[in-house]
Amino acid sequence: MTASKILSAVAVALMAVAGAAHAETYEGVHQLSSTASRADVASQAVVAAHSANPYATGANAGPAQVFVSSTSRAAVRAEAAVAARSENPYAEGASSRVAPVLASGVDRAPVRAAARAAARGDALPL
């Protein structure tokens, strides 16, 4: 055996011994200390059993609350129409808006002639 293997085996053994030294001790069962009588606890249990479950979710939560809006239907529709015609505030990159029309100082005729020449395979003048 090499010295490194012996050293690593000793290190593992020391860590195992050190881990066992920090174990918790058993203190027994703790005594209950309550100021409520059995009758009080029983009456509270009956009330809790007949009340609604505050932790229920989904289908067990019961009927949904009805919300009453202070805004009229016409006002909501008008706001929706304005929002539909405005820019998308959540869009990114190319879908953020319609590309603006850029004014160019280049004449169209030479650009079209160069495009036709390129489509026919003619060499473009440089």
Side-chain angles (χ1 to χ4, degrees), residues 12-83:
V12 169
L14 285 176
M15 286 192 310
V17 170
H22 296 291
E24 294 182 12
T25 59
Y26 178 69
E27 298 175 6
V29 178
H30 296 286
Q31 295 296 322
L32 293 177
S33 58
S34 176
T35 57
S37 67
R38 281 184 182 247
D40 292 339
V41 173
S43 65
Q44 291 173 2
V46 169
V47 170
H50 292 292
S51 63
N53 185 0
Y55 306 108
T57 58
N60 298 329
Q65 291 180 339
V66 177
F67 295 104
V68 179
S69 176
S70 60
T71 309
S72 68
R73 184 178 291 241
V76 171
R77 286 185 183 216
E79 289 176 15
V82 169

Side-chain angles (χ1 to χ4, degrees), residues 2 4 6 9 11 16 18 33 55 58 62 75-77 81 96 99 104 116 122 125-126:
T2 62
S4 64
I6 294 172
S33 58
Y55 306 108
V76 171
R77 286 185 183 216
S96 63
S104 175
R116 285 189 187 112
D122 298 341
L126 297 177

